[in-house]
Protein backbone atom coordinates (compact mmCIF):
# COMPACT_ATOMS: atom_id res chain seq x y z
CA UNK A 1 0.00 0.00 0.00
CA UNK A 2 1.43 3.36 -1.02
CA UNK A 3 -0.14 6.59 0.20
CA UNK A 4 -0.81 9.50 -2.17
CA UNK A 5 -0.06 12.65 -0.22
CA UNK A 6 -3.09 14.94 -0.11
CA UNK A 7 -5.02 12.28 -2.09
CA UNK A 8 -3.89 14.11 -5.24
CA UNK A 9 -5.50 12.65 -8.34
CA UNK A 10 -7.46 10.05 -6.34
CA UNK A 11 -11.06 9.58 -7.45
CA UNK A 12 -12.92 9.01 -4.18
CA UNK A 13 -16.60 9.18 -5.22
CA UNK A 14 -18.94 9.22 -8.16
CA UNK A 15 -21.02 12.38 -8.41
CA UNK A 16 -23.40 14.03 -10.87
CA UNK A 17 -23.44 17.43 -9.17
CA UNK A 18 -20.49 19.38 -10.54
CA UNK A 19 -17.57 18.60 -12.81
CA UNK A 20 -14.16 20.01 -13.67
CA UNK A 21 -13.08 18.96 -17.15
CA UNK A 22 -10.25 20.61 -19.10
CA UNK A 23 -10.40 23.58 -16.76
CA UNK A 24 -14.16 24.05 -17.22
CA UNK A 25 -16.35 24.01 -14.13
CA UNK A 26 -19.98 22.99 -14.67
CA UNK A 27 -22.88 22.52 -12.27
CA UNK A 28 -25.13 19.68 -13.45
CA UNK A 29 -23.54 20.03 -16.88
CA UNK A 30 -24.07 23.81 -17.18
CA UNK A 31 -20.89 25.84 -17.63
CA UNK A 32 -20.31 28.11 -14.64
CA UNK A 33 -19.81 31.05 -17.04
CA UNK A 34 -23.44 30.78 -18.18
CA UNK A 35 -24.70 30.50 -14.63
CA UNK A 36 -22.58 33.42 -13.42
CA UNK A 37 -24.02 35.64 -16.17
CA UNK A 38 -27.65 34.53 -15.91
CA UNK A 39 -28.66 32.59 -12.80
CA UNK A 40 -29.60 33.81 -9.34
CA UNK A 41 -28.11 32.02 -6.34
CA UNK A 42 -31.53 30.54 -5.49
CA UNK A 43 -31.84 29.04 -9.00
CA UNK A 44 -28.31 27.67 -8.62
CA UNK A 45 -29.07 26.06 -5.26
CA UNK A 46 -32.21 24.48 -6.75
CA UNK A 47 -30.14 23.17 -9.66
CA UNK A 48 -27.60 21.59 -7.28
CA UNK A 49 -30.26 20.03 -5.04
CA UNK A 50 -32.78 18.82 -7.63
CA UNK A 51 -30.60 18.30 -10.71
CA UNK A 52 -32.39 20.80 -12.97
CA UNK A 53 -33.17 24.50 -13.13
CA UNK A 54 -36.47 25.41 -11.45
CA UNK A 55 -39.60 26.50 -13.26
CA UNK A 56 -41.09 29.83 -12.17
CA UNK A 57 -43.42 28.15 -9.70
CA UNK A 58 -40.71 25.84 -8.32
CA UNK A 59 -38.50 28.88 -7.74
CA UNK A 60 -41.34 30.73 -6.01
CA UNK A 61 -41.94 27.75 -3.73
CA UNK A 62 -38.23 27.62 -2.85
CA UNK A 63 -38.16 31.37 -2.16
CA UNK A 64 -41.23 30.99 0.11
CA UNK A 65 -39.55 28.14 1.99
CA UNK A 66 -36.33 30.14 2.39
CA UNK A 67 -38.34 33.07 3.78
CA UNK A 68 -40.32 30.83 6.10
CA UNK A 69 -37.25 29.20 7.70
CA UNK A 70 -34.86 32.16 7.95
CA UNK A 71 -35.43 33.02 11.62
CA UNK A 72 -33.22 31.14 14.10
CA UNK A 73 -34.24 29.88 17.57
CA UNK A 74 -34.08 32.71 20.15
CA UNK A 75 -31.94 30.65 22.62
CA UNK A 76 -29.23 30.57 19.95
CA UNK A 77 -29.22 34.36 19.69
CA UNK A 78 -29.11 34.59 23.50
CA UNK A 79 -26.24 32.12 23.59
CA UNK A 80 -24.30 34.18 21.02
CA UNK A 81 -24.49 37.18 23.35
CA UNK A 82 -22.33 35.20 25.78
CA UNK A 83 -19.62 34.47 23.21
CA UNK A 84 -16.37 36.48 23.32
CA UNK A 85 -16.78 39.63 21.17
CA UNK A 86 -13.59 38.81 19.29
CA UNK A 87 -14.42 35.17 18.54
CA UNK A 88 -13.38 33.78 15.17
CA UNK A 89 -16.47 34.13 12.97
CA UNK A 90 -16.02 30.68 11.40
CA UNK A 91 -15.79 29.17 14.89
CA UNK A 92 -19.03 30.95 15.77
CA UNK A 93 -20.67 29.63 12.62
CA UNK A 94 -19.42 26.09 13.27
CA UNK A 95 -20.70 26.19 16.86
CA UNK A 96 -24.08 27.71 16.07
CA UNK A 97 -24.79 25.39 13.13
CA UNK A 98 -23.99 22.48 15.42
CA UNK A 99 -26.33 23.97 18.03
CA UNK A 100 -29.15 24.35 15.47
CA UNK A 101 -29.42 20.55 15.55
CA UNK A 102 -30.56 20.76 19.19
CA UNK A 103 -33.67 22.66 18.09
CA UNK A 104 -34.66 20.39 15.20
CA UNK A 105 -36.79 17.35 16.09
CA UNK A 106 -36.08 15.83 12.68
CA UNK A 107 -32.29 15.84 13.16
CA UNK A 108 -31.98 12.04 13.00
CA UNK A 109 -34.38 11.54 10.10
CA UNK A 110 -32.08 10.77 7.19
CA UNK A 111 -34.83 10.33 4.61
CA UNK A 112 -34.26 12.34 1.42
CA UNK A 113 -37.42 14.34 2.03
CA UNK A 114 -36.37 15.36 5.53
CA UNK A 115 -32.77 16.14 4.57
CA UNK A 116 -33.95 18.17 1.58
CA UNK A 117 -36.10 20.26 3.92
CA UNK A 118 -33.20 20.64 6.39
CA UNK A 119 -30.91 21.75 3.52
CA UNK A 120 -33.30 24.59 2.69
CA UNK A 121 -33.57 25.46 6.39
CA UNK A 122 -29.81 25.57 6.81
CA UNK A 123 -29.51 27.65 3.64
CA UNK A 124 -31.76 30.33 5.05
CA UNK A 125 -30.59 30.15 8.68
CA UNK A 126 -26.82 30.38 8.10
CA UNK A 127 -26.94 33.98 6.79
CA UNK A 128 -29.13 34.91 9.78
CA UNK A 129 -26.61 33.42 12.21
CA UNK A 130 -23.64 35.20 10.62
CA UNK A 131 -25.36 38.57 10.45
CA UNK A 132 -26.62 38.20 14.04
CA UNK A 133 -23.13 37.58 15.43
CA UNK A 134 -21.70 40.46 13.37
CA UNK A 135 -24.14 42.78 15.15
CA UNK A 136 -24.05 41.17 18.60
CA UNK A 137 -20.27 41.58 18.83
CA UNK A 138 -20.75 45.31 18.29
CA UNK A 139 -23.31 45.46 21.09
CA UNK A 140 -26.22 45.76 18.64
CA UNK A 141 -29.42 43.71 18.50
CA UNK A 142 -29.74 41.17 15.66
CA UNK A 143 -32.11 42.17 12.86
CA UNK A 144 -34.92 39.80 11.90
CA UNK A 145 -34.78 38.52 8.31
CA UNK A 146 -37.03 40.06 5.66
CA UNK A 147 -39.52 37.96 3.74
CA UNK A 148 -39.66 37.75 -0.06
CA UNK A 149 -36.13 38.95 -0.82
CA UNK A 150 -33.07 37.08 -2.08
CA UNK A 151 -30.47 35.53 0.23
CA UNK A 152 -27.91 38.14 -0.87
CA UNK A 153 -30.36 40.98 -0.19
CA UNK A 154 -31.41 39.57 3.18
CA UNK A 155 -27.85 39.03 4.35
CA UNK A 156 -26.75 42.59 3.53
CA UNK A 157 -29.95 43.95 5.11
CA UNK A 158 -29.47 41.93 8.31
CA UNK A 159 -25.90 43.22 8.65
CA UNK A 160 -26.78 46.92 8.56
CA UNK A 161 -30.54 47.20 9.02
CA UNK A 162 -30.66 49.29 5.85
CA UNK A 163 -31.94 48.38 2.41
CA UNK A 164 -28.84 47.35 0.43
CA UNK A 165 -28.19 48.94 -2.96
CA UNK A 166 -28.87 46.92 -6.08
CA UNK A 167 -25.25 46.80 -7.20
CA UNK A 168 -24.17 45.25 -3.90
CA UNK A 169 -26.99 42.69 -3.97
CA UNK A 170 -26.23 41.66 -7.52
CA UNK A 171 -22.44 41.43 -6.91
CA UNK A 172 -22.94 39.29 -3.80
CA UNK A 173 -25.51 37.13 -5.58
CA UNK A 174 -23.06 36.44 -8.42
CA UNK A 175 -20.28 35.65 -5.96
CA UNK A 176 -22.61 33.16 -4.26
CA UNK A 177 -23.33 31.46 -7.61
CA UNK A 178 -19.59 31.14 -8.29
CA UNK A 179 -18.77 29.55 -4.92
CA UNK A 180 -21.76 27.18 -4.69
CA UNK A 181 -20.12 23.87 -5.57
CA UNK A 182 -16.75 22.55 -6.61
CA UNK A 183 -16.67 18.80 -7.04
CA UNK A 184 -14.82 16.98 -4.25
CA UNK A 185 -13.15 19.97 -2.57
CA UNK A 186 -11.87 19.49 0.98
CA UNK A 187 -14.96 20.70 2.87
CA UNK A 188 -17.37 18.77 0.65
CA UNK A 189 -15.28 15.66 1.16
CA UNK A 190 -15.54 16.22 4.94
CA UNK A 191 -19.31 16.53 4.68
CA UNK A 192 -19.50 13.28 2.71
CA UNK A 193 -17.21 11.40 5.12
CA UNK A 194 -19.34 12.51 8.07
CA UNK A 195 -22.74 11.70 6.57
CA UNK A 196 -21.46 8.36 5.23
CA UNK A 197 -21.36 7.08 8.83
CA UNK A 198 -25.15 7.75 8.85
CA UNK A 199 -24.64 10.63 11.26
CA UNK A 200 -26.90 13.64 10.52
CA UNK A 201 -26.92 16.60 8.13
CA UNK A 202 -26.02 19.12 10.85
CA UNK A 203 -22.93 17.07 11.71
CA UNK A 204 -22.00 16.90 8.03
CA UNK A 205 -22.31 20.68 7.60
CA UNK A 206 -20.48 21.33 10.89
CA UNK A 207 -17.55 19.19 9.67
CA UNK A 208 -17.58 21.08 6.38
CA UNK A 209 -17.51 24.49 8.07
CA UNK A 210 -14.53 23.44 10.20
CA UNK A 211 -12.75 22.34 7.02
CA UNK A 212 -13.60 25.45 5.02
CA UNK A 213 -12.13 27.65 7.77
CA UNK A 214 -8.49 26.85 6.96
CA UNK A 215 -6.38 29.31 4.91
CA UNK A 216 -5.53 26.66 2.31
CA UNK A 217 -9.28 26.41 1.55
CA UNK A 218 -12.02 29.00 2.23
CA UNK A 219 -9.94 31.01 4.68
CA UNK A 220 -7.74 32.15 1.79
CA UNK A 221 -10.06 35.07 0.90
CA UNK A 222 -9.46 36.67 4.31
CA UNK A 223 -5.72 36.05 4.03
CA UNK A 224 -5.73 37.79 0.60
CA UNK A 225 -7.55 40.78 2.06
CA UNK A 226 -5.04 40.95 4.91
CA UNK A 227 -2.20 40.86 2.38
CA UNK A 228 -3.76 43.61 0.21
CA UNK A 229 -4.13 45.88 3.22
CA UNK A 230 -0.55 45.18 4.33
CA UNK A 231 0.65 46.15 0.85
CA UNK A 232 -1.36 49.37 1.13
CA UNK A 233 -0.18 51.22 -1.98
CA UNK A 234 0.60 50.27 -5.56
CA UNK A 235 4.25 51.27 -5.29
CA UNK A 236 4.79 48.92 -2.32
CA UNK A 237 3.41 45.91 -4.19
CA UNK A 238 6.54 44.73 -5.94
CA UNK A 239 8.84 44.80 -2.90
CA UNK A 240 6.20 43.19 -0.64
CA UNK A 241 5.48 40.27 -2.99
CA UNK A 242 9.12 39.85 -3.96
CA UNK A 243 10.10 39.53 -0.28
CA UNK A 244 7.47 36.84 0.22
CA UNK A 245 8.56 34.93 -2.85
CA UNK A 246 12.22 35.19 -1.80
CA UNK A 247 11.23 33.74 1.60
CA UNK A 248 9.42 30.88 -0.19
CA UNK A 249 6.15 31.97 1.40
CA UNK A 250 2.87 31.11 -0.31
CA UNK A 251 0.92 33.96 -1.85
CA UNK A 252 -2.67 33.46 -0.80
CA UNK A 253 -5.28 33.34 -3.55
CA UNK A 254 -2.91 31.68 -6.04
CA UNK A 255 -2.53 28.10 -7.14
CA UNK A 256 -4.96 25.24 -7.19
CA UNK A 257 -4.88 21.48 -6.81
CA UNK A 258 -6.98 20.87 -9.91
CA UNK A 259 -6.69 23.95 -12.16
CA UNK A 260 -3.22 24.40 -13.53
CA UNK A 261 -4.18 26.89 -16.25
CA UNK A 262 -6.36 29.18 -14.19
CA UNK A 263 -9.53 29.00 -12.14
CA UNK A 264 -12.56 29.70 -14.39
CA UNK A 265 -14.31 31.58 -11.55
CA UNK A 266 -11.53 34.13 -11.08
CA UNK A 267 -12.26 36.15 -14.25
CA UNK A 268 -15.83 36.86 -13.13
CA UNK A 269 -14.65 38.09 -9.75
CA UNK A 270 -11.92 40.16 -11.36
CA UNK A 271 -14.50 41.83 -13.62
CA UNK A 272 -16.75 42.48 -10.63
CA UNK A 273 -13.85 43.94 -8.68
CA UNK A 274 -13.01 46.24 -11.62
CA UNK A 275 -16.63 47.40 -12.00
CA UNK A 276 -16.92 48.12 -8.28
CA UNK A 277 -13.69 50.13 -8.38
CA UNK A 278 -15.14 52.28 -11.21
CA UNK A 279 -18.34 52.79 -9.27
CA UNK A 280 -16.47 53.74 -6.10
CA UNK A 281 -14.09 55.97 -8.04
CA UNK A 282 -11.15 54.35 -6.28
CA UNK A 283 -9.13 51.65 -7.98
CA UNK A 284 -6.28 51.24 -5.47
CA UNK A 285 -7.31 47.78 -4.31
CA UNK A 286 -7.98 46.59 -7.83
CA UNK A 287 -4.71 48.03 -9.15
CA UNK A 288 -2.72 46.36 -6.36
CA UNK A 289 -4.47 43.05 -7.10
CA UNK A 290 -3.59 43.29 -10.81
CA UNK A 291 0.03 44.04 -9.94
CA UNK A 292 0.20 41.08 -7.52
CA UNK A 293 -1.19 38.84 -10.27
CA UNK A 294 1.36 40.10 -12.80
CA UNK A 295 4.25 39.35 -10.45
CA UNK A 296 3.07 35.96 -9.14
CA UNK A 297 1.98 34.66 -12.54
CA UNK A 298 5.09 36.08 -14.19
CA UNK A 299 7.53 34.54 -11.73
CA UNK A 300 5.82 31.36 -10.54
CA UNK A 301 3.36 30.62 -13.35
CA UNK A 302 0.61 30.46 -10.71
CA UNK A 303 -2.82 31.87 -11.59
CA UNK A 304 -5.32 33.51 -9.23
CA UNK A 305 -8.01 31.25 -7.79
CA UNK A 306 -11.58 32.07 -6.71
CA UNK A 307 -10.37 33.62 -3.45
CA UNK A 308 -8.05 36.21 -4.96
CA UNK A 309 -10.48 38.71 -6.48
CA UNK A 310 -13.32 37.87 -4.10
CA UNK A 311 -11.24 39.62 -1.42
CA UNK A 312 -11.30 42.98 -3.23
CA UNK A 313 -14.96 42.48 -4.21
CA UNK A 314 -16.12 41.97 -0.62
CA UNK A 315 -13.89 44.77 0.69
CA UNK A 316 -15.38 47.18 -1.85
CA UNK A 317 -18.86 46.08 -0.78
CA UNK A 318 -17.95 47.28 2.73
CA UNK A 319 -18.14 43.79 4.25
CA UNK A 320 -15.86 43.22 7.28
CA UNK A 321 -12.91 40.96 6.44
CA UNK A 322 -13.78 38.22 8.91
CA UNK A 323 -17.15 37.69 7.23
CA UNK A 324 -15.57 36.71 3.88
CA UNK A 325 -15.14 33.03 4.74
CA UNK A 326 -18.59 32.81 6.38
CA UNK A 327 -20.01 34.21 3.09
CA UNK A 328 -18.21 31.38 1.28
CA UNK A 329 -20.04 29.03 3.68
CA UNK A 330 -23.43 30.62 2.84
CA UNK A 331 -22.78 29.76 -0.78
CA UNK A 332 -21.11 26.35 -0.41
CA UNK A 333 -23.97 25.21 1.83
CA UNK A 334 -26.01 24.29 -1.25
CA UNK A 335 -23.11 22.24 -2.61
CA UNK A 336 -22.39 20.53 0.72
CA UNK A 337 -25.99 19.53 1.23
CA UNK A 338 -26.46 18.40 -2.41
CA UNK A 339 -23.44 16.11 -1.85
CA UNK A 340 -24.87 14.87 1.46
CA UNK A 341 -28.13 13.95 -0.30
CA UNK A 342 -26.21 12.24 -3.10
CA UNK A 343 -23.99 10.32 -0.67
CA UNK A 344 -27.01 9.00 1.22
CA UNK A 345 -28.72 7.92 -2.02
CA UNK A 346 -26.02 5.28 -2.51
CA UNK A 347 -24.13 5.17 0.73
CA UNK A 348 -21.11 3.21 1.83
CA UNK A 349 -18.95 4.23 4.78
CA UNK A 350 -15.81 6.09 3.64
CA UNK A 351 -12.89 4.38 5.29
CA UNK A 352 -9.56 4.43 3.48
CA UNK A 353 -6.32 2.83 4.68
CA UNK A 354 -3.01 4.33 5.83
CA UNK A 355 0.50 3.36 4.82
CA UNK A 356 1.91 2.60 8.30
CA UNK A 357 5.43 3.97 8.79
CA UNK A 358 5.78 3.54 12.59
CA UNK A 359 7.61 0.99 14.73
CA UNK A 360 6.68 -2.70 14.88
CA UNK A 361 7.02 -5.43 17.53
CA UNK A 362 7.20 -3.06 20.49
CA UNK A 363 6.21 -4.15 24.03
CA UNK A 364 4.38 -2.58 26.90
CA UNK A 365 6.87 -1.23 29.47
CA UNK A 366 5.57 -0.75 33.02
CA UNK A 367 5.49 2.97 33.89
CA UNK A 368 8.17 2.73 36.60
CA UNK A 369 10.61 1.24 34.07
CA UNK A 370 10.17 3.92 31.31
C1 LIG B 1 -4.47 25.68 -3.33
C2 LIG B 1 -3.26 24.93 -2.78
C3 LIG B 1 -3.56 24.54 -1.32
C4 LIG B 1 -3.04 23.67 -3.61
O1 LIG B 1 -2.09 22.91 -2.96
P1 LIG B 1 -1.35 21.67 -3.64
O2 LIG B 1 -2.16 21.13 -4.73
O3 LIG B 1 -0.95 20.76 -2.55
O4 LIG B 1 -0.11 22.35 -4.34
P2 LIG B 1 1.35 22.48 -3.74
O5 LIG B 1 1.27 23.19 -2.43
O6 LIG B 1 1.97 21.12 -3.75
O7 LIG B 1 2.03 23.41 -4.82
C5 LIG B 1 2.86 23.00 -5.88
C6 LIG B 1 4.05 23.97 -5.96
O8 LIG B 1 3.57 25.30 -6.19
C7 LIG B 1 3.91 26.14 -5.10
N1 LIG B 1 2.75 26.94 -4.74
C8 LIG B 1 1.47 26.53 -4.74
N2 LIG B 1 0.66 27.52 -4.38
C9 LIG B 1 1.46 28.58 -4.14
C10 LIG B 1 1.19 29.90 -3.74
N3 LIG B 1 -0.06 30.31 -3.50
N4 LIG B 1 2.23 30.75 -3.61
C11 LIG B 1 3.50 30.34 -3.85
N5 LIG B 1 3.80 29.09 -4.24
C12 LIG B 1 2.80 28.22 -4.38
C13 LIG B 1 4.25 25.20 -3.95
O9 LIG B 1 5.11 25.79 -3.01
C14 LIG B 1 4.84 24.04 -4.67
O10 LIG B 1 6.16 24.38 -5.02
P3 LIG B 1 7.33 23.28 -4.93
O11 LIG B 1 6.93 22.22 -5.91
O12 LIG B 1 8.54 24.06 -5.30
O13 LIG B 1 7.33 22.80 -3.51
C15 LIG B 1 -1.99 25.82 -2.86
O14 LIG B 1 -1.81 26.27 -4.20
C16 LIG B 1 -2.03 26.99 -1.91
O15 LIG B 1 -1.67 26.83 -0.72
N6 LIG B 1 -2.52 28.18 -2.36
C17 LIG B 1 -2.67 29.31 -1.47
C18 LIG B 1 -3.94 29.14 -0.64
C19 LIG B 1 -5.19 29.36 -1.44
O16 LIG B 1 -5.28 30.33 -2.19
N7 LIG B 1 -6.16 28.49 -1.23
C20 LIG B 1 -7.45 28.58 -1.88
C21 LIG B 1 -7.63 27.49 -2.90
S1 LIG B 1 -9.11 27.75 -3.83
Amino acid sequence: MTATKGLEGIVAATSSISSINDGVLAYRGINIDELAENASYEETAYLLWYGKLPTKSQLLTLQDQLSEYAAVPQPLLDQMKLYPKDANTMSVLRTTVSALALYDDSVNDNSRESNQKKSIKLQSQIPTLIAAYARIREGKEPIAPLKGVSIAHNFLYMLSGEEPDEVAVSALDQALVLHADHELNASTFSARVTIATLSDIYSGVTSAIGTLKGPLHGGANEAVSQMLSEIGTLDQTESYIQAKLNNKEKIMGFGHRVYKNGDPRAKHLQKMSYELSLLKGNSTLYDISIKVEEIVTGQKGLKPNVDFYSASVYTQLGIPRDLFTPIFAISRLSGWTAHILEQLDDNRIIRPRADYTGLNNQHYIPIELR
Side-chain angles (χ1 to χ4, degrees):
M1 288 192 301
T2 323
T4 304
K5 198 169 178 193
L7 298 183
E8 181 167 4
I10 302 289
V11 177
T14 55
S15 177
S16 61
I17 301 171
S18 65
S19 57
I20 306 171
N21 283 317
D22 298 329
V24 174
L25 170 63
Y27 299 163
R28 302 285 189 187
I30 306 178
N31 190 316
I32 185 74
D33 292 342
E34 266 184 56
L35 292 168
E37 297 298 336
N38 300 296
S40 67
Y41 177 67
E42 284 76 2
E43 285 180 282
T44 305
Y46 189 100
L47 173 70
L48 295 173
W49 285 325
Y50 298 98
K52 54 185 175 44
L53 287 166
T55 61
K56 263 190 189 163
S57 77
Q58 287 166 334
L59 185 59
L60 277 176
T61 305
L62 175 63
Q63 284 162 339
D64 285 348
Q65 289 168 316
L66 289 166
S67 285
E68 185 190 337
Y69 301 143
V72 298
Q74 184 60 38
L76 268 189
L77 298 175
D78 296 340
Q79 186 189 328
M80 268 195 252
K81 292 179 183 164
L82 304 174
Y83 292 172
K85 299 282 178 276
D86 59 351
N88 179 288
T89 48
M90 284 298 277
S91 301
V92 169
L93 184 61
R94 190 192 56 227
T95 303
T96 49
V97 165
S98 180
L100 275 177
L102 310 177
Y103 301 93
D104 188 337
D105 294 340
S106 69
V107 58
N108 291 318
D109 181 351
N110 266 338
S111 65
R112 181 169 248 277
E113 193 192 10
S114 174
N115 277 334
Q116 180 64 74
K117 181 174 172 190
K118 281 175 281 193
S119 303
I120 299 171
K121 263 178 109 171
L122 277 160
Q123 182 66 79
S124 56
Q125 288 179 323
I126 281 182
T128 312
L129 290 171
I130 298 166
Y133 180 69
R135 291 183 64 83
I136 287 170
R137 68 179 173 181
E138 290 176 358
K140 298 176 186 158
E141 274 303 307
I143 291 175
L146 293 171
K147 289 203 184 297
V149 297
S150 69
I151 288 171
H153 184 125
N154 224 350
F155 178 66
L156 293 172
Y157 166 76
M158 287 187 288
L159 279 181
S160 67
E162 286 161 23
E163 281 295 315
D165 69 59
E166 264 176 46
V167 175
V169 171
S170 124
L172 182 58
D173 190 61
Q174 198 186 33
L176 295 180
V177 170
L178 290 167
H179 287 79
D181 196 43
H182 206 212
E183 202 220 43
L184 216 52
N185 63 92
S187 54
T188 299
F189 188 53
S190 289
R192 288 188 80 128
V193 169
T194 301
I195 201 64
T197 67
L198 300 184
S199 181
D200 65 88
I201 196 166
Y202 290 97
S203 300
V205 171
T206 303
S207 293
I209 293 170
T211 310
L212 186 72
K213 175 173 178 277
L216 297 189
H217 189 11
N221 55 14
E222 292 179 19
V224 171
S225 166
Q226 173 73 33
M227 174 178 78
L228 295 176
S229 76
E230 278 168 18
I231 294 174
T233 57
L234 189 56
D235 58 344
Q236 300 280 352
T237 312
E238 186 137 22
S239 55
Y240 179 99
I241 295 296
Q242 200 55 59
K244 278 202 176 284
L245 291 176
N246 292 347
N247 280 339
K248 305 239 171 290
E249 283 177 53
K250 280 191 167 175
I251 311 295
M252 291 294 139
F254 285 86
H256 201 274
R257 172 60 65 77
V258 183
Y259 303 117
K260 298 302 172 198
N261 290 316
D263 181 329
R265 302 163 297 177
K267 60 181 179 291
H268 296 284
L269 290 150
Q270 178 185 343
K271 183 166 170 254
M272 213 187 289
S273 176
Y274 175 65
E275 286 168 0
L276 287 169
S277 75
L278 290 183
L279 263 171
K280 303 259 161 207
N282 180 350
S283 65
T284 308
L285 213 50
Y286 180 75
D287 294 341
I288 296 174
S289 305
I290 290 288
K291 184 82 189 158
V292 173
E293 178 178 345
E294 266 172 35
I295 302 168
V296 178
T297 307
Q299 290 196 27
K300 301 276 296 182
L302 292 164
K303 305 266 173 63
N305 57 47
V306 71
D307 293 302
F308 187 64
Y309 286 101
S310 62
S312 51
V313 165
Y314 299 149
T315 306
Q316 294 183 92
L317 291 180
I319 294 171
R321 181 180 301 153
D322 66 354
L323 300 189
F324 295 4
T325 314
I327 289 174
F328 195 153
I330 293 176
S331 167
R332 190 55 59 83
L333 187 277
S334 56
W336 290 333
T337 48
H339 279 266
I340 285 173
L341 294 167
E342 183 179 66
Q343 180 67 36
L344 286 174
D345 281 345
D346 183 22
N347 189 52
R348 193 167 184 215
I349 192 166
I350 299 171
R351 201 298 190 192
R353 297 295 310 276
D355 178 11
Y356 177 69
T357 57
L359 300 170
N360 287 307
N361 302 321
Q362 300 296 295
H363 293 286
Y364 177 80
I365 303 169
I367 198 159
E368 58 279 8
L369 296 180
R370 286 175 217 162

